[in-house]
Amino acid sequence: MAMASSFCPRIPLQFRANPLSCFSLKPQFLLQVKAFSSQEPPKDEMPARIGFLGLGIMGTPMAQNLIKAGCDVSVWNRTKSKCDPLISLGAKYKSSPEEVAASCDVTFAMLADPGSALDVACGKHGVASGMSPGKGYVDISTVDVDTSKLISSHIKTTGALFLEAPVSGSKKPAEDGQLIFLTAGDKALYETAAPLLDIMGKSRFYLGDIGNGAAMKLVVNMIMGSMMASFSEGLILSEKVGLDPSVLVQVISQGAINAPMYSMKGPSMLQSVYPTAFPLKHQQKDLRLALGLAESVSQPTPIAAAANELYKVAKSRGLSDDDFSAVIEALKVKLDQRS
């Protein structure tokens, strides 16, 4: 899969123009760090009305950051009550994705899975029904390549632009505006949406054609899921041989294999507590989609395949809505059965 990419980190908050607003100057070159100006450009050059669909663990804090930055945001969610906190912050409620898209210049969507993403975009009263030339749709959901391409084709038949922009990061980065956007699709929409992405994230990559963003996200989450499964094995093995697993976490944190995930998740895992930042069911879904991607290019992924089976066991134990670190519980079951 050929892929051209460019990367743009976000300017730290202390170097931004104050007060923070939705509008900033476009970068001259994609590889440059963006320069922010205290002079707001003409509003007709920037998306004035923003839509946000899907207000779950990730979507709610992302939409909140847009509202707090002064953006005019319209929201929709299948369960209307999830819109209430955002409405109290100033968001406008619309009764369907179609109404959001029709009333906004750029609409974002953060949905749980490919089926939901496709239904919201292309179903009855979906986004496509409210799109027209001059509008843009940015799908932040984690989906497979084929689903992203199908959504893109429906949106583009309306004359609107489409950008896939799945994110790397979970609940806390979403709350802190520290997500990483993996974008692909219409370059013009990428440039238009860039100031909004920078409110919600710390960096953004433009990866070229539709499908590249989806593929990158699946590869990243495949690695993450496998890492968590291996980390779980290490914690349990250390305890079984008489070591203190909390010391193992400290040792790992000071070595070459350190990752923030280990020091953040390790202590709660040792207490068998799994506060949900990234649901286990979504991690297993992403592993399944990544394995399908690998199969499509005949690439063996035995480690990810083994990890996927472990997450499936965890789901069967009723841990779907717990954090993905709860996969360690499935491993305890397997080890207990061998004892």
Side-chain angles (χ1 to χ4, degrees):
M1 181 183 299
M3 181 172 68
S5 68
S6 58
F7 163 64
C8 187
R10 185 175 65 174
I11 290 268
L13 287 173
Q14 62 265 34
F15 298 120
R16 289 187 178 187
N18 291 311
L20 179 62
S21 75
C22 283
F23 309 113
S24 59
L25 292 178
K26 294 181 182 179
Q28 287 183 308
F29 304 101
L30 285 173
L31 293 177
Q32 275 188 320
V33 175
K34 299 187 316 325
F36 285 78
S37 169
S38 59
Q39 294 185 344
E40 188 176 282
K43 291 189 177 182
D44 59 1
E45 293 182 8
M46 290 289 178
R49 298 166 300 173
I50 312 303
F52 209 103
L53 312 172
L55 301 174
I57 289 176
M58 297 292 288
T60 294
M62 294 172 76
Q64 283 178 341
N65 285 335
L66 291 173
I67 296 168
K68 290 176 181 178
C71 297
D72 181 354
V73 179
S74 295
V75 297
W76 171 88
N77 192 76
R78 291 185 191 277
T79 305
K80 182 182 181 296
S81 60
K82 290 188 176 182
C83 298
D84 293 340
L86 296 174
I87 294 172
S88 68
L89 292 176
K92 302 169 184 174
Y93 173 73
K94 302 294 182 181
S95 62
S96 70
E98 177 182 2
E99 286 191 19
V100 173
S103 65
C104 294
D105 302 306
V106 174
T107 299
F108 291 89
M110 172 59 96
L111 291 317
D113 51 51
S116 298
L118 192 60
D119 183 54
V120 167
C122 310
K124 185 177 181 181
H125 303 302
V127 172
S129 299
M131 299 301 283
S132 59
K135 295 181 180 292
Y137 184 51
V138 183
D139 193 351
I140 316 170
S141 316
T142 298
V143 302
D144 57 283
V145 172
D146 289 342
T147 296
S148 190
K149 289 181 176 179
L150 183 57
I151 293 172
S152 175
S153 67
H154 277 80
I155 297 300
K156 292 180 76 66
T157 57
T158 69
L161 301 179
F162 178 76
L163 189 74
E164 61 178 4
V167 297
S168 180
S170 56
K171 181 180 179 181
K172 188 63 164 60
E175 291 172 344
D176 296 341
Q178 294 291 301
L179 296 168
I180 302 168
F181 286 91
L182 309 172
T183 74
D186 286 310
K187 189 71 163 292
L189 180 54
Y190 169 75
E191 293 173 346
T192 297
L196 305 173
L197 300 180
D198 292 337
I199 290 169
M200 298 182 285
K202 66 179 180 180
S203 59
R204 49 186 161 84
F205 292 81
Y206 180 77
L207 304 172
D209 295 337
I210 288 293
N212 288 340
M216 181 68 81
K217 175 60 188 295
L218 292 179
V219 172
V220 168
N221 277 20
M222 179 189 77
I223 295 170
M224 181 174 72
S226 300
M227 287 171 63
M228 180 55 74
S230 181
F231 182 54
S232 298
E233 287 183 331
L235 291 177
I236 292 176
L237 178 59
S238 67
E239 186 173 19
K240 287 258 181 174
V241 299
L243 299 173
D244 184 344
S246 66
V247 175
L248 173 65
V249 175
Q250 295 176 44
V251 171
I252 290 174
S253 71
Q254 297 182 40
I257 65 170
N258 180 44
M261 177 176 72
Y262 297 147
S263 57
M264 288 192 322
K265 305 287 188 182
S268 61
M269 292 171 70
L270 297 178
Q271 300 298 319
S272 299
V273 176
Y274 314 104
T276 306
F278 181 47
L280 185 143
K281 63 185 177 184
H282 292 169
Q283 176 62 79
Q284 193 276 318
K285 177 261 297 182
D286 292 348
L287 277 167
R288 173 175 57 81
L289 295 177
L291 292 171
L293 178 66
E295 178 66 23
S296 72
V297 293
S298 301
Q299 173 59 47
T301 48
I303 295 172
N308 183 50
E309 293 304 312
L310 202 59
Y311 285 96
K312 287 163 66 175
V313 171
K315 283 179 61 179
S316 73
R317 292 201 65 207
L319 298 168
S320 290
D321 293 322
D322 286 89
D323 189 74
F324 78 114
S325 55
V327 70
I328 193 172
E329 295 295 331
L331 195 57
K332 289 176 184 177
V333 171
K334 285 195 169 186
L335 291 176
D336 289 343
Q337 288 174 346
R338 296 173 185 172
S339 300

